[in-house]
Amino acid sequence: MAHAAPAPSWFDPSTTDPQAIRSEESQEMLRQWHGFMTARLVLGLVLVTLQTALYLTGTPHSKTQIGISAAYLAGTLASKLLIRPRPLGQSFNRVWGALVGLDLLTFSVLQMLQTGAGSSINYTPLFALPILVASVLGSLRLALGTAAGITVLMLIEALLSYLKGPTDVTPYFAQSALSGVGYFAIAWLSNQLSTRLANEAQRARQSQLAASIQRQVNELVIESLPDGVLVVDEKGCVRAANPAARQLLGSQQKLGTPIFDLKDEAGWRPLLNLTRLSVGTGLSHEEDVTIRHGTDGPRRLHARTRLAAPNGHAGESLCVLFLQDQRELEARVRTERMAGMGRLSTAVAHEIRNPLSAITQANALLDEDLSDPKLKKLTEMVSQNAKRLEKIVNDILNVSRVQPYDQTHLIPPIALDAATHRICADWATQTASLQRLTVHAGDQTIGVRFDAEHLRRVLVNLLDNARRHTDEGTDTIQVYISGSDAQHATVSIWSNAPPMDQSVERHLFEPFFSSDSRSSGLGLYICRELCERHDASLVYQRTTREARGRPCEGNEFVITLRRVDPADNFSLADNTTTPWQPTLY
């Protein structure tokens, strides 16, 4: 079954791409450029229309003015189409001449011609446009230079008017000077305002970029949190959920969309009630809840609510719901408990060694003075069990990692098929499970480096677990030995047991975890530790095998071991003949 694509996160900023934010500055300059070019083009069209209308109405006018206006319109259109948008820079360059220079020349000529023709139209207010262009698209020096050039042109016009007739020229010079001061003020204020707006926009872009990065960091943290995070509104609609929360809630059909409702699943009702309680009271709450979804079993969660500020949608409140799997909390407790038990077992193992040595020595001295065969057999039993107890003590020290496993010690290779058959036969005889157990023969040439007693402990524990969850029928427990490839071999213990609950499977190999109250929960943990000591692995899977003449689904534990060179001489180690005894896990 194909898995649904991960739903987009509500935390993901869709409009705050850092690359897009960095390009906003050039986009702003382009908008200003095109705005001024459009304004110049419209002004040229207005001038042509105005001059044509004046000429047609019989107003004293010159055809030259119509030609100049038409030339200006053509020049503005050409500059808009041909000149690449860019800042004017710090000096009077060709771009300035094509834009600002053209405006100054056109407006100055129109103003001089209207004075000679006796027209009452004043074109000096149009000089504000080139000043604004130079102030916004250029530097302050360029803007003030443009204003100075306009002032000089107006003074020249006043001088020409004075030279044409003996009139009082004072008003003309005064008006030109006053207009020049105004243009200087416009140039300075426009440049200052433009510079300030550009700086504010730059700071806004930097803040937006920082906020974007922060949001992405927050999203990364939230997405990678092992605890679930839900953002729920007062109606029970989930606005956001990180992957851990979606996994805890479980329903893939409902969770495939970015937004879903807690009312969609009856098993989510406890979370909905807790959210409504927090929103209704305005307080944060914390409690343990049990949710159910689909065919999965109940899942116990520790839920905490925190109220967020209204998000602006008509004062709507949001509730942030934090979810923790109780199994995870219990696993942490078990891990801490295991650490304490490891220290305790290590201390006990050290304390056992001294009296064990005394028992071994006393038994050896007693055996020297005995001649009765029955008593000799008793001392032999004491010696064998003392050795076995000493090996268990060493194993405990190895599992607790206090005594590192001696990697330099070369474990003698064993024949995997023969060793597995011997161990399974002993176990089936001792537990009266000959009818249940079927061992499928494998390649007898496969050899592995694995301590024979440790292999016995692993297989016996797995067989005991399989026997505990199967019926008395035939072929309910099957063992397969095979060479998976040239470097590895596998031993699989299959049973027709019912499937495990996901909450149990998730913590299957953790210490002190067991679904059976009578078990210590250390069996599978120690089996996996023993496998890892020998560069092997132990995994669980749900597979289908042939049982009772038909395919049957069941639980399977697979041990993957590293093979040895077939040229090596290997055989069953001597300690594989040790009589089988029930495991004490």
Side-chain angles (χ1 to χ4, degrees):
M1 181 177 180
H3 295 283
S9 171
W10 190 65
F11 300 106
D12 186 20
S14 59
T15 60
T16 54
D17 182 21
Q19 188 65 28
I21 293 175
R22 295 187 183 100
S23 66
E24 285 186 3
E25 183 175 357
S26 59
Q27 294 295 329
E28 181 65 24
M29 192 276 296
L30 287 177
R31 285 192 294 268
Q32 294 175 352
W33 174 278
H34 290 300
F36 282 122
M37 295 303 102
T38 303
R40 295 175 69 243
L41 184 61
V42 171
L43 179 58
L45 184 61
V46 170
L47 286 175
V48 172
T49 304
L50 176 62
Q51 301 296 341
T52 304
L54 291 175
Y55 178 77
L56 295 177
T57 57
T59 305
H61 211 64
S62 173
K63 294 182 181 180
T64 306
Q65 293 175 304
I66 300 177
I68 293 174
S69 299
Y72 177 73
L73 177 61
T76 56
L77 181 60
S79 63
K80 180 176 177 62
L81 296 177
L82 301 179
I83 299 179
R84 182 174 58 87
R86 55 181 174 179
L88 297 183
Q90 299 283 339
S91 60
F92 298 96
N93 49 32
R94 288 181 294 178
V95 178
W96 179 90
L99 301 180
V100 180
L102 177 62
D103 292 353
L104 295 182
L105 179 61
T106 302
F107 302 153
S108 299
V109 173
L110 289 175
Q111 179 66 20
M112 293 179 181
L113 291 177
Q114 68 88 20
T115 303
S119 176
S120 61
I121 300 177
N122 187 8
Y123 293 94
T124 55
L126 299 181
F127 287 122
L129 179 60
I131 290 178
L132 290 176
V133 173
S135 300
V136 175
L137 298 180
S139 62
L140 178 60
R141 182 174 64 178
L142 192 63
L144 294 178
T146 303
I150 293 173
T151 304
V152 171
L153 290 175
M154 289 191 299
L155 292 175
I156 292 174
E157 180 192 357
L159 179 61
L160 292 176
S161 299
Y162 170 74
L163 295 176
K164 287 180 181 180
T167 58
D168 187 7
V169 78
T170 303
Y172 292 97
F173 282 102
Q175 182 181 355
S176 300
L178 184 59
S179 298
V181 172
Y183 289 139
F184 273 103
I186 292 175
W188 186 82
L189 291 176
S190 299
N191 184 266
Q192 293 298 310
L193 180 60
S194 175
T195 303
R196 181 171 181 178
L197 291 177
N199 292 336
E200 292 293 337
Q202 180 66 21
R203 283 193 290 268
R205 284 189 289 269
Q206 292 176 353
S207 300
Q208 188 179 9
L209 179 60
S212 172
I213 296 175
Q214 185 63 46
R215 289 189 64 180
Q216 293 179 9
V217 171
N218 294 341
E219 178 192 6
L220 179 61
V221 172
I222 293 174
E223 295 287 340
S224 59
L225 279 177
D227 297 337
V229 179
L230 296 174
V231 180
V232 189
D233 62 18
E234 54 191 6
K235 297 179 182 179
C237 181
V238 178
R239 302 291 187 85
N242 68 342
R246 294 177 182 272
Q247 183 179 3
L248 291 175
L249 293 180
S251 179
Q252 296 300 325
Q253 295 181 351
K254 298 294 183 182
L255 300 177
T257 57
I259 298 178
F260 55 94
D261 202 319
L262 289 179
K263 297 188 290 292
D264 293 342
E265 293 281 346
W268 298 341
R269 181 66 58 176
L271 299 178
L272 178 62
N273 295 336
L274 183 61
T275 301
R276 288 177 173 174
L277 178 63
S278 296
V279 174
T281 60
L283 300 174
S284 300
H285 291 273
E286 184 174 352
E287 65 177 74
D288 295 332
V289 298
T290 301
I291 64 173
R292 296 174 175 83
H293 48 79
T295 58
D296 297 336
R299 177 171 291 175
R300 294 183 296 112
L301 302 177
H302 181 72
R304 295 180 292 114
T305 62
R306 296 293 186 270
L307 293 179
N311 61 358
H313 299 289
E316 183 182 11
S317 298
L318 294 178
C319 178
V320 182
L321 195 62
F322 299 92
L323 304 178
Q324 285 182 303
D325 193 347
Q326 289 288 72
R327 295 280 187 180
E328 300 294 337
L329 297 177
E330 293 171 359
R332 297 173 190 173
V333 174
R334 287 193 298 271
T335 302
E336 295 176 357
R337 188 188 307 170
M338 183 59 189
M341 287 294 296
R343 292 189 292 269
L344 177 61
S345 61
T346 302
V348 171
H350 280 295
E351 292 297 328
I352 289 177
R353 276 184 162 182
N354 291 331
L356 183 61
S357 299
I359 293 173
T360 303
Q361 293 177 1
N363 181 70
L365 294 175
L366 182 62
D367 182 69
E368 294 177 356
D369 297 334
L370 294 178
S371 58
D372 189 346
K374 295 182 179 180
L375 297 179
K376 295 280 272 185
K377 186 175 183 179
L378 291 176
T379 57
E380 183 180 356
M381 292 177 59
V382 172
S383 176
Q384 290 179 353
N385 284 275
K387 292 179 180 180
R388 186 178 183 85
L389 183 58
E390 182 180 5
K391 186 170 183 60
I392 292 175
V393 169
N394 292 331
D395 291 342
I396 291 175
L397 293 176
N398 282 334
V399 170
S400 64
R401 297 182 184 273
V402 173
Q403 175 181 322
Y405 198 82
D406 189 3
Q407 299 293 337
T408 61
H409 175 66
L410 184 60
I411 300 175
I414 59 174
L416 181 61
D417 184 80
T420 303
H421 274 78
R422 177 70 62 87
I423 296 170
C424 291
D426 292 345
W427 176 85
T429 302
Q430 294 293 333
T431 60
S433 301
L434 292 174
Q435 185 179 3
R436 292 190 191 185
L437 180 64
T438 300
V439 181
H440 298 270
D443 187 354
Q444 297 183 357
T445 64
I446 296 177
V448 297
R449 292 194 185 278
F450 205 102
D451 183 83
E453 180 61 23
H454 286 174
L455 180 62
R456 174 183 292 275
R457 292 178 64 180
V458 172
L459 292 178
V460 167
N461 185 78
L462 296 177
L463 291 170
D464 285 342
N465 287 342
R467 178 173 177 269
R468 190 179 302 119
H469 297 94
T470 56
D471 52 37
E472 298 287 343
T474 59
D475 290 344
T476 57
I477 303 175
Q478 300 184 34
V479 179
Y480 297 85
I481 305 104
S482 64
S484 58
D485 53 46
Q487 288 79 31
H488 300 88
T490 60
V491 178
S492 303
I493 295 87
W494 179 90
S495 63
N496 66 341
M500 298 183 186
D501 186 87
Q502 289 187 356
S503 59
V504 176
E505 182 181 346
R506 189 182 302 112
H507 307 283
L508 194 59
F509 294 99
E510 293 181 2
F512 300 110
F513 177 83
S514 175
S515 57
D516 188 354
S517 59
R518 296 171 298 176
S519 174
S520 64
L522 287 174
L524 291 177
Y525 170 75
I526 293 181
C527 287
R528 187 178 64 176
E529 288 291 314
L530 292 176
C531 289
E532 291 179 353
R533 293 297 189 278
H534 297 81
D535 198 17
S537 63
L538 174 62
V539 297
Y540 161 79
Q541 60 187 15
R542 186 78 178 167
T543 56
T544 300
R545 295 286 190 179
E546 189 78 18
R548 303 175 187 175
R550 59 183 178 85
C552 183
E553 190 175 1
N555 297 329
E556 185 174 46
F557 288 88
V558 181
I559 307 171
T560 303
L561 309 97
R562 187 174 296 276
R563 299 177 62 170
V564 298
D565 193 331
D568 292 346
N569 295 323
F570 56 83
S571 61
L572 286 175
D574 294 340
N575 55 2
T576 58
T577 60
T578 304
W580 175 86
Q581 296 184 8
T583 55
L584 302 178
Y585 306 149

